[in-house]
Amino acid sequence: MPFGLVLCLVTACSVGSGEDDGPRAGAPKPGAGGTKTATPTTKSYDPPLKFESSATYPVAGGYNEGNWAVRLDGTTVYAASDNEVKAVDALSGKALWSVQPQGRASEDDDYGTGDVAGPTLVQLDGKPTVLAAFAVTVPGSGTTPERPVIELTAVAADSGKRLWTATIDRPEGQEDGDPVLVGSDGTTAVVRLGVESEAATLGITLATRQTSWTAKGFYAGFIDGGTVVGRGGADSALGGGASVEGLRIADGKRTWTYMDRLNRTVLRPVGAGLFTAEVDAPFVRDQDISALLEVSTGKPPAGVDAKALDALLDLSCEHDERATIVCQAEEGWDRRVFALDAQSFKELWAIDESDETRLTPEIGTAWHGAVYASTDNGPVILDARTGKDKATDPGLRPFQVNGHAGLYSGGATKGISVSRAIG
C-alpha cells in the first residue's frame, strides 16, 4: 500500500497480482485502558512536529484480530474489518461506537486474511455518514436454499446509529468471499468481489440502494472523483492478459485504458487526481514500467519527466495536500526518496542510498509541507519542499496524520495505534 492515504489494511490498496506492498497491522480492541480517560483539549497543529509517544491508544487489529483498515478524520479514527466498523476517539482512545452486520454473517472462508477497505465517509442528506459492506447469508425457507448476499449499511458518523441497511445480490460466480467497499462519490458506492481476473465490481446507487452496473473481470482498486481505477482482463500462462483501466463511477463505462496485454499491475493512489502504476508489459519490454498518471485520463500529467520515473521500481507517491508530491522507489540497487512540485512536476530534492552524507529515510506519509519518516536513528520529519530535517525527535512515524493526531503501525501482533499531536 502506498504510504499515507487510506489504502488497504492500513493504508491504500495496491491493485494487481495479489501482492500487497502496504503494512499489515492490527491491535487490541479500542478503549482498553483508555475508556475512562477524559478527552484532552483539541488543539491542532499545522503540521504537527511532535507526538505524545508515551500516551498512545490501540485502535484496531493485533494478534488474532484479522485485518483492519483505518481512517483518521478530525479527532476520530474510523476502523473497518470484514465484520465490523467502529469509531475511536483519537485523543483519548475511547471507543465511541461499533456496528456489525445486521444479518447472519457468512462463514469466514479466508480466516480474516483477505483485503478490507478503508472506512468510506460520505455526505448523505447533508450529514457525515460511514458506509460499510458485509458478507451475510439470507436463511433458506422450505425448498428455497440459503443464499449469500452483500449487506450495505449506512451509519451516522457521529453516533454510530444505523441509518439504513440494504441487501445487494451477488453476481453469478461471486458467491464466496468478503465484499470490499472500494469507495463512494456520495451518489454511487463501488464494491469489489473476488480476486484478480475472477473479480467483479459493482456500482450501487445510494439513492435507490440498487446495483446500477456490474463490471465482470474488473478488479477495482480505488476511486478518485468520478473515476474508478483498477485492473481489467485476465492473466494467461504466456502473459499479456491484464490491463489498467478507468471506469466512470456513474455507469461503469470504460473511459480510458493506460496499457493492456500485461502480466502484472500495481496501482496506488497519490491524491490530487493522480496515481502511480507499475506494470510488467512483456510485449513492450522485459523491464517493469513505472508511471505517474492522471486519474481522469490515464495519461502522464503535462510536465512530468516520464522517462525519469520509468527507470524506477516499486514507485509510490503521496500528495501532501498542499504543493508537493513525495515519492519513494528503487533505482538500480539503491532506494530513492524524492519530491516533485505538484504544479510543474519538477524535482525539488532527492536522497538515495548512494549518498553517504545522509541516511535514506523510510517514508510514512506527507501532510501540509511535512514528510513523516524514519531512519536507523529513529523517527524524523523532513521539510517537503527542501528535504532538510525539520524535526529529529517527533516521537513516532505515522502513516496517517492530521493536525490532531497520527496513526502508526506496531506490526502484525501490536496492530494500529493512535498518538496525540503535542507540538
Side-chain angles (χ1 to χ4, degrees), residues 92-247:
S92 67
K94 180 180 179 180
L96 301 176
W97 54 259
S98 172
V99 172
Q100 295 182 339
Q102 195 170 50
R104 191 186 90 201
S106 299
E107 183 178 352
D108 186 357
D109 57 3
D110 56 22
Y111 302 99
T113 61
D115 285 352
V116 293
T120 297
L121 283 170
V122 296
Q123 292 283 329
L124 293 185
D125 297 326
K127 298 179 180 179
T129 304
V130 179
L131 298 178
F134 303 115
V136 301
T137 299
V138 176
S141 177
T143 59
T144 302
E146 65 180 21
R147 62 189 178 94
V149 297
I150 301 166
E151 181 180 290
L152 183 64
T153 298
V155 180
D158 56 353
S159 66
K161 178 183 178 182
R162 195 189 305 265
L163 303 177
W164 52 258
T165 295
T167 298
I168 310 296
D169 289 330
R170 289 173 174 259
E172 185 178 354
Q174 297 292 341
E175 290 79 13
D176 299 324
D178 292 314
V180 175
L181 182 59
V182 177
S184 173
D185 65 347
T187 61
T188 302
V190 176
V191 174
R192 185 185 74 231
L193 296 164
V195 296
E196 300 189 28
S197 60
E198 299 177 355
T201 297
L202 312 180
I204 302 166
T205 302
L206 296 179
T208 62
R209 303 168 203 172
Q210 299 290 326
T211 300
S212 54
W213 56 266
T214 301
K216 292 187 176 181
F218 182 76
Y219 185 96
F222 56 90
I223 70 167
D224 190 337
T227 303
V228 187
V229 178
R231 178 180 181 277
D235 290 324
S236 71
L238 298 178
S243 59
V244 176
E245 302 174 359
L247 307 186

Side-chain angles (χ1 to χ4, degrees), residues 179-333:
V180 175
L181 182 59
V182 177
S184 173
D185 65 347
T187 61
T188 302
V190 176
V191 174
R192 185 185 74 231
L193 296 164
V195 296
E196 300 189 28
S197 60
E198 299 177 355
T201 297
L202 312 180
I204 302 166
T205 302
L206 296 179
T208 62
R209 303 168 203 172
Q210 299 290 326
T211 300
S212 54
W213 56 266
T214 301
K216 292 187 176 181
F218 182 76
Y219 185 96
F222 56 90
I223 70 167
D224 190 337
T227 303
V228 187
V229 178
R231 178 180 181 277
D235 290 324
S236 71
L238 298 178
S243 59
V244 176
E245 302 174 359
L247 307 186
R248 193 162 50 210
I249 193 172
D251 55 17
K253 300 297 184 183
R254 185 170 65 237
T255 58
W256 53 259
T257 299
Y258 162 62
M259 199 175 283
D260 57 14
R261 301 194 303 166
L262 306 172
N263 278 345
R264 170 180 172 270
T265 66
V266 179
L267 312 177
R268 300 182 177 103
V270 174
L274 301 168
F275 72 101
T276 59
E278 183 176 321
V279 302
D280 175 10
F283 299 105
V284 177
R285 69 179 191 204
D286 293 335
Q287 184 178 345
D288 286 352
I289 299 171
S290 296
L292 179 66
L293 305 170
E294 292 182 332
V295 170
S296 60
T297 65
K299 298 179 179 179
V304 71
D305 189 348
K307 289 185 178 180
L309 297 178
D310 182 47
L312 302 176
L313 297 175
D314 200 24
L315 173 67
S316 60
C317 301
E318 183 170 344
H319 187 250
D320 76 342
E321 298 184 23
R322 281 200 173 160
T324 311
I325 296 170
V326 181
C327 303
Q328 60 184 1
E330 291 184 9
E331 185 175 25
W333 297 102

Side-chain angles (χ1 to χ4, degrees), residues 6-76:
V6 175
L7 324 61
C8 185
L9 308 178
V10 173
T11 59
C13 289
S14 297
V15 185
S17 55
E19 299 182 10
D20 178 18
D21 299 281
R24 293 176 177 263
K29 294 289 184 180
T35 55
K36 297 182 180 180
T37 303
T39 302
T41 304
T42 58
K43 187 174 181 178
S44 181
Y45 301 88
D46 190 14
L49 302 179
K50 182 74 173 177
F51 298 92
E52 192 174 24
S53 56
S54 61
T56 63
Y57 305 102
V59 172
Y63 179 72
N64 206 30
E65 285 289 316
N67 287 332
W68 287 79
V70 292
R71 176 167 177 168
L72 178 61
D73 186 75
T75 59
T76 304

